[in-house]
Each structure stands twice: as structure tokens, then as C-alpha cells.
Amino acid sequence: TAVRSIPAPQGLPVLGNTLQIPAHAPAAFLEKLAAEHDEGIYQLDLLGRRVLFVSDPDLVAELCDETRFYKGIDPPLSIVRDFAGDGLFTAHHDEPVWGHAHRILMPAFSQRSMKAYFPQMLEVAQELAAKWAVSDEVSVADDMTRLTLDTISLTGFDYRFNSFDSPELHPFLQAMGRALTEAMLRNRQLPLVTKLKKRREEAYRADILTMQELVDDVIRQRRAAGRSGTKDLLGLMLEAADPRSGERLSDENIRDQVLTFLIAGHETTSGLLSFALYNLLRNPHVLARAYAEVDRLLPGDTVPTYDTVMKLDVIPRILEETLRIWSPIPAFAVKSFEDTTVGGYPVREGQPAVVLLPPLHRHPKAWDRPEEFDIDRWLPENRAGHHPAAYKPFGNGERACIGRQFALTEARLALAVILQRFAISDPDAYRMEIKQTLTVKPDGFTVRVRERKPYE
Ligand code: HEM
């Protein structure tokens, strides 16, 4: 069969297409290129690496075949390894420690564990509600970040950030935001240039240290408490052995995992919740259905239970549709085990191929009215007709998100609590501005909140 040639926009010698990518908005640029290439695949030369960018669902289906492709750890993920090390997210695919940690931690993400975390998830959601009850305008992304950071740290590590007590975001978050941004910038920088920027390097190292100090404090507090048998993330990491190999995690690996979970466990869910509120404000008929659902399941000042959250139907579909239109993680990358072709296009062994989620999730081949926010796509009878590879907000295969159920349980509860108690509006009609720090979020999005009912 004929080998097809992959569209490749012209670049410069040595630097290739690198400098065409805007430093602070790579995702938007890559998405624009996808729109310009109907083939659903194109190639960029990034500092000598020929990287494929794929958004056609049939091609993505091939890339999701784990017998042919594995998760690639290239820039920016290889740079994130500066602070997340061998943690689950950034572990190389052939590292045995990935399997040890994956099997040790799986029980902490079972449905049963979600039920066990519920009281703590509720406690943090109620702190958000308490703050909003005395607020007028709230900064959505900041408060969602407080909510999700406090939730993962309390449920996973029994550690309290108490983020709602403070008008400033915790120093850990500032360090993390800067470090992730730096990893994104270094992705398009020659290593030589990175070396020359001494001041940036110092600031980067200082931010990493700030994050590591917090991680050490989390572990120290647990050891000082001297409780054994705790089945949260940290308890499992400190005490459990891999059921297959009998291996335990090293102290260094535990540090990598704690930092990984502190970041991966809040940054994306915070984006999801922020985008969800945005979508609700843009689609008042859906907002009305969500209010009707919470009024039915949570009348008056009923306190939500785990069972209430399991009974929700409209809110979970709002979240699924939000993840389609706005994926907090806009891409993931795989590599081929050997020279091959994908849809007739040649792919070399080890060549990075990036799955671009925004154009995949709106691909006309897979989605009717792709730009429309339509939660009924997620009714059981409509799901059956979905293209099998056109929706990948949590990644793929064994390297897919371990925290998916955690994120969805937490986000369902948070939206239910918010809608039960508050009328939300945005009198200034916010226009979407994406801020990217590897993950994407709405920037400067504020909403007005009013209590729906008087509480004692
Ligand atoms: C992996 C998305 C929430 C922990 C991933 C990946 C995606 C993703 C796309 C795969 C990345 C890749 O292939 O390079 C999301 C989204 C979330 C979310 C959209 C929220 C809406 C969470 C939460 C946790 C978490 C709450 C922890 C409690 C992880 C970890 C991995 C991962 C540890 C690496 C898994 C592995 O490779 O073994 N996530 N995530 N995520 N996520 Fe999530």
C-alpha cells in the first residue's frame, strides 16, 4: 500500500518549528494547526525531534493500541521529572517501580475507597460553601484550586492545607504554578539556552525545593503520628508491598509519589470544575436542569451523602460534556515499539506522537454539532453510538488516569453542594481566556454568588 506523506509546516534550520509555538499558549497553537490540516495528523520539527500531532479519531484509535504504542516521556514530561521523578505520572514505561506503585495504590482508588473518602470530601466542599456564603464575587479557579488541593491532601495524606482560611493561595501552589510553567517554556528552548538562563534556573530550583519541603512535612507528620494500618494513599505507600513482586516503595519514590499526587490530584479537577461553571452560565437551560436535580435530591438543607452523589444524573453528564469541550489536560503522548504506519502514514520506532484532545473531542467525524454543549450525548442510549477513540480526557490504557473516579466523585459532590446553596451569575459576561501551565484553566473568571435559601 502507498505510504502517505505527513503534512509538515515549514520551519527554520536547527530550531525547526520550535519558535512558532507561542511560549504561554502552546495548546491553542497546536489546535489551530490541527484545524488547518484536514488529514488529522501533522508533524513539527521541535529542536530536531520530529513530533507527530494527531486528532483524527481513527488514527487515535491506532495510537491507543497498547500492543503497538506505549506512553512516551519526552519534553515537557521529561522536564517535569525534575520534580515528579519516578512518580506514576512521569515514570518511564519500562520502569518496574511504575508497576510496584500502580499495584500498591490501586486499592486506594476503588469505589469502596471513594465511599470512605466521602466525609472528608464533604467537609472541604462545605468549607467552600461557607466562604461563598459570605462572598459576593468569587474567583472561580482560585476557589476550585483551594477545594481540590485540600481534598486530595486530606483524603490522601490526612494533611490540612486549610486553604479557605487564607486570602492568598498556599506558597506550594505558587511554586508549583511557576515550575509547571517553566517546564512548558523549557519544552521550546535549546538545553544550551536553558543553561545560560542562570537566574531562571535558580528560581526553578528554589520552587522545586519549596515543593519538596512540603512533601517532607507531609511524610514527617504521618511518621510522628505513628499510626499504622491507615489505608489512605500515604499509609499504603509506607506500609504495603506490591502483591506481585513483594517489593515496597523506597523513601525517595514515596516522595515522588506524594508530590505527583499533590499536583495531579488537584490541578486538573480544579480546571474541570471551573470549566463546568463556565458552561453552566453559557447554557442556562442546562443550569436549570441541574438546579432541578439538586432540588429533587437535596431539598432544603439536606446534607448530601455518598448515595445522593451516586444518584445524580444531570451533574455527571455536565462533567462529561465539560471534559469533552475543555479538557484540562489538552494532550498526551505515545511512542511506537517499532517502525510502522498509522492510517498509511509512516511512524518510526520511538517517534513521539501527541494526541491533541481539543480537536479530537470536537472532530466532525465523531461528533454531531461538535461545538454545542449537549449533555444528552451522555445518555446511555446515545453513548453506544460514540466513536470508540474520540473521547480520551483521562488518557489511555494502563497509563490512563488512576484518579478518574476520585476526580468525578469529588467534582459531582462539589457541584451538587454549590448548586444546592447558590444562585450563580456572571453579570460581566466573562469571555473565555485560557491560561496554560501545562494544564489549561479559565483565567480571571469570576462569578457572583447569592445564597438561594436562608440558613441558620
Ligand atoms: C494520569 C487526566 C484527576 C492522578 C492522567 C492522564 C490524564 C489525566 C489525561 C494521562 C496522562 C498521560 O498519558 O501522559 C486527569 C483529569 C482529571 C484527573 C482530566 C480531573 C478531571 C486526577 C486525580 C488524581 C490523578 C484526582 C489523583 C487523585 C493521576 C496519576 C496519573 C494520571 C497518578 C498517572 C497514571 C499512571 O501513569 O500510572 N490523568 N486526571 N488524576 N492522573 Fe489524572
Side-chain angles (χ1 to χ4, degrees), residues 71 77 88-89 98 109 152 261 264-265 268-269 272 329 332 393-395 399-403 406-407:
K71 172 163 173 165
L77 281 191
L88 284 175
F89 208 102
W98 176 83
F109 291 97
I152 184 63
F261 278 105
T268 43
T269 315
L272 165 61
I329 294 192
F332 66 92
F394 291 100
R399 297 302 295 268
C401 184
I402 198 171
F406 186 101

Side-chain angles (χ1 to χ4, degrees), residues 129-151:
K131 178 180 174 188
W132 284 18
V134 293
S135 302
D136 177 30
E137 298 249 319
V138 297
S139 166
V140 176
D142 284 356
D143 278 344
M144 295 309 171
T145 295
R146 289 183 169 91
L147 174 93
T148 56
L149 178 68
D150 283 27
T151 302

Side-chain angles (χ1 to χ4, degrees), residues 32 35 130 132 135 182 187 229 299 317 332 334 378 380 394 415:
K32 186 171 138 272
W132 284 18
S135 302
E182 182 65 16
N187 185 20
R317 287 191 278 126
F332 66 92
V334 297
W378 303 100
F394 291 100
L415 267 193

Side-chain angles (χ1 to χ4, degrees), residues 88-106:
L88 284 175
F89 208 102
T90 45
H92 291 290
H93 114 98
D94 50 4
E95 261 174 315
V97 71
W98 176 83
H100 303 157
H102 178 76
R103 288 183 294 268
I104 287 172
L105 288 169
M106 278 304 276

